[in-house]
Amino acid sequence: MKKLFACTALLICAASLTAQQQPMHESGPPASPPAKESITISGKTISIDYSSPRVKGREGKIFTKDGLISHDPHFPVWRGGANDATTLKTDAALTIGDLKVPAGTYTLFVDISYPTEWVFIVSKAVREWGLEYDSTKDLGRVKMQMSKPAKLVENLKYTLKATGGNKGTLNLTWENESATVPFQVN
């Protein structure tokens, strides 16, 4: 009888844990689905893993001082996505802007202190939640070139584009903002 009771209790606990692991968005897609951008240049792969939030009617209320991102604990440093930290993985050493980035895995952040001068941050910290920013772990920072997309960009999007030879650009676009930084595969 004790064995039967123990087995039943174990099954109930297992069922409860399984139910808790079910996604909260059973009725539709996640609010900020996972996304990946990848490119191969000079035989080396560079990829960015991120979660892509949506504007969802909040145009003009995302990047302002009292907007959506201002509620993050490290504002004006932003995780450059949603959920888990945005991750850069590179098979080769890169030069991003003038920052030397050895081959490896990094976390990406963006300092949006100045709307016309965003700063791309490469952090040596990895496998963390997106809001766990620690400036002492910065590998470095690079100014980004700002522009305005032709129309509203509903889904946050990273784009890696080859520009010839061993060079390319990394672009982050969302809402009414587009920020780009050049890189080179070394």
Side-chain angles (χ1 to χ4, degrees):
M1 188 67 167
K2 286 182 182 180
K3 285 183 183 179
L4 179 60
F5 179 72
C7 286
T8 304
L10 222 101
L11 283 173
I12 291 170
C13 286
S16 174
L17 286 173
T18 301
Q20 289 176 15
Q21 291 176 357
Q22 296 302 313
M24 299 295 287
H25 53 273
E26 298 266 345
S27 62
S32 300
K36 182 172 188 159
E37 176 71 0
S38 187
I39 192 169
T40 300
I41 296 178
S42 299
K44 302 295 182 179
T45 301
I46 302 139
S47 61
I48 299 174
D49 287 296
Y50 62 103
S51 291
S52 175
R54 309 305 192 229
V55 173
K56 296 190 298 190
R58 301 174 291 198
E59 184 176 359
K61 299 175 185 166
I62 298 210
F63 297 109
T64 58
K65 288 190 190 289
D66 58 347
L68 176 69
I69 295 171
S70 71
H71 302 290
D72 288 354
H74 296 287
F75 180 79
V77 173
W78 170 49
R79 57 183 150 173
N83 305 329
D84 289 339
T86 297
T87 303
L88 167 72
K89 183 175 182 186
T90 175
D91 291 344
L94 302 175
T95 302
I96 300 175
D98 59 0
L99 175 65
K100 303 291 184 194
V101 179
T105 303
Y106 303 89
T107 298
L108 303 179
F109 294 94
V110 182
D111 184 335
I112 61 171
S113 295
Y114 303 102
T116 59
E117 295 180 13
W118 285 8
V119 177
F120 187 71
I121 303 169
V122 179
S123 172
K124 297 177 280 188
V126 293
R127 294 189 251 331
E128 60 185 10
W129 182 250
L131 297 177
E132 295 178 13
Y133 175 67
D134 179 353
S135 64
T136 65
K137 295 183 180 177
D138 286 0
L139 177 67
R141 295 170 168 240
V142 177
K143 286 185 180 179
M144 302 182 86
Q145 180 70 41
M146 300 302 297
S147 63
K148 298 287 183 191
K151 62 181 184 172
L152 175 84
V153 177
E154 179 68 25
N155 306 340
L156 180 141
K157 174 79 175 143
Y158 279 91
T159 306
L160 295 168
K161 180 180 174 186
T163 58
N166 62 342
K167 296 180 180 181
T169 57
L170 180 154
N171 177 264
L172 165 61
T173 305
W174 191 33
E175 195 213 17
N176 295 313
E177 302 295 342
S178 182
T180 304
V181 65
F183 68 87
Q184 178 176 318
V185 176
N186 299 324

